[in-house]
Amino acid sequence: MRKPIIVGNWKMNKTCAETVAFIEAIEPVLHDGATFGVGAPFTALKDATATAKNLVIAAENCHYKDNGAYTGEVSVPMLQELGVTHVIIGHSERRQMFNENDEELNLKVKRLIEAEMTPIFCIGETEAQYDAGETENVIRTQLAAGLKDLCPKCVAKMVIAYEPIWAIGTGKSATKEIAQNCCHIVRDQIRVMYGDEAADSVRVQYGGSVKPENIKEYMACEDIDGALIGGASLKVDSFTKIIEAVK
Ligand code: 13P
C-alpha cells in the first residue's frame, strides 16, 4: 500500500562532475520496487536533475521565504525551477550545528507543501536523551511542533525520517526492534494529530548507519517504509547493493 522510499543524503559531498557520474551509474539499476532518490548539495542540483531520469533529486535544506535579505539561503521557488521535487528538512546536523528550531522547520514544511513538493522531515533523539528514556517524548514533541497546523491530506503525502542521532555516522545502527518501535511511535503521533488516513499513508524512514548488510531487516518491519542513508549512499557500489536488496 505504501511504496517504499530510499533516499541517500549526501550531505556536503560531491562536486557536479561526481554527481553526474554517480547518477549515470545508478540509473540502470533502479527498479519499481521503491522510489529511490539522493539529496545533493545545492551546487550540484541542476546537473543532478538534468541527468536523472527515474532517480528523485532532493535538496538538503531550503528557506521558508521566497526571496529577500537572507545571505547564503536558497528558496523553494529556486529549487522548483531546477526540477527538485523533495527537500530534506530538519536533519539533526542542521538542528545541532545551525540551530534550526521546530518553529522555523514548521514554516519550511508549510512552504514546501504549498509548492506541492515533498518534505522529508527528520526527527530523532540524542544519545543522552536515549539513555534517559526520553526517546518517545522527543519523537512526539518534535512532530507536534514541526508538523503543526498542516492538512491531513498533505501529511499523508510526506515522508518522515526517524534518525536517532547516536546512530548517525557512528556505525552503531539501531536494532530493528528499536527502529520499528520508534517508527511506530512516529506513525501513532501522526494518527493522534491527523487521523487514520494520514497515519496509514505517510511514509516513515529509518536512518542511521543503514548499509547493504542491514537494509533488508529494516525494510521487513511493519512501520518502516524506507531509509535515509548517509555514508552508504556515497559509493555507487554500496548504494547499488542497497537498491538491489529492496527488490
Ligand atoms: P549514516 O547513514 O552515515 O549514518 O547517516 C545517516 C544520515 O544522517 C542520513 O540523513
Side-chain angles (χ1 to χ4, degrees):
M1 185 180 64
R2 295 187 294 267
K3 187 168 184 179
I5 179 163
I6 308 281
V7 178
N9 175 11
W10 285 351
K11 310 188 179 184
M12 196 172 72
N13 291 289
K14 294 201 189 293
T15 62
C16 293
E18 288 165 349
T19 297
V20 170
F22 183 98
I23 295 173
E24 283 174 347
I26 283 293
E27 277 286 343
V29 300
L30 301 181
H31 56 80
D32 285 340
T35 300
F36 296 99
V38 291
F42 288 133
T43 46
L45 288 173
K46 191 170 184 181
D47 285 329
T49 56
T51 310
K53 295 184 187 76
N54 294 306
L55 190 69
V56 161
I57 303 302
E60 300 173 15
N61 182 26
C62 67
H63 200 275
Y64 53 87
K65 290 279 180 74
D66 284 1
N67 47 53
Y70 302 98
T71 302
E73 291 292 312
V74 172
S75 74
V76 170
M78 291 170 186
L79 296 173
Q80 243 179 339
E81 187 190 32
L82 302 181
V84 170
T85 53
H86 292 54
V87 182
I88 299 169
I89 294 294
H91 190 277
S92 60
E93 286 150 18
R94 298 224 48 93
R95 292 176 187 259
Q96 293 193 314
M97 297 178 211
F98 303 97
N99 298 320
E100 295 197 7
N101 60 52
D102 290 325
E103 290 67 37
E104 69 180 306
L105 297 176
N106 183 242
L107 294 174
K108 294 182 185 200
V109 170
K110 284 181 176 154
R111 183 64 191 90
L112 286 167
I113 287 174
E114 190 189 334
E116 299 187 350
M117 292 167 77
T118 305
I120 301 173
F121 184 71
C122 302
I123 56 160
E125 80 284 4
T126 63
E127 184 149 38
Q129 289 167 329
Y130 176 82
D131 290 341
E134 292 167 2
T135 300
E136 176 164 357
N137 185 37
V138 170
I139 291 173
R140 291 190 187 276
T141 306
Q142 286 180 338
L143 290 172
L147 302 186
K148 82 170 200 225
D149 299 333
L150 307 177
C151 77
K153 282 197 166 28
C154 304
V155 175
K157 287 191 247 167
M158 358 183 345
V159 178
I160 300 172
Y162 166 68
E163 301 200 297
I165 295 169
W166 47 269
I168 294 179
T170 57
K172 194 170 110 187
S173 51
T175 63
K176 62 178 189 305
E177 289 79 14
I178 293 176
Q180 158 59 24
N181 184 42
C182 292
C183 289
H184 181 76
I185 293 168
V186 170
R187 200 176 302 286
D188 184 68
Q189 180 63 23
I190 297 301
R191 201 174 300 283
V192 169
M193 293 169 73
Y194 292 110
D196 287 341
E197 199 187 321
D200 293 335
S201 305
V202 69
R203 289 181 291 175
V204 182
Q205 296 175 316
Y206 165 74
S209 299
V210 174
K211 42 189 186 260
E213 296 75 27
N214 61 20
I215 182 75
K216 266 188 201 281
E217 55 184 59
Y218 293 123
M219 296 306 288
C221 297
E222 193 181 334
D223 285 295
I224 301 180
D225 307 312
L228 191 58
I229 304 164
S233 75
L234 289 172
K235 295 224 168 74
V236 169
D237 179 50
S238 52
F239 202 50
T240 297
K241 284 188 181 136
I242 287 171
I243 291 167
E244 284 172 348
V246 299
K247 251 186 190 150

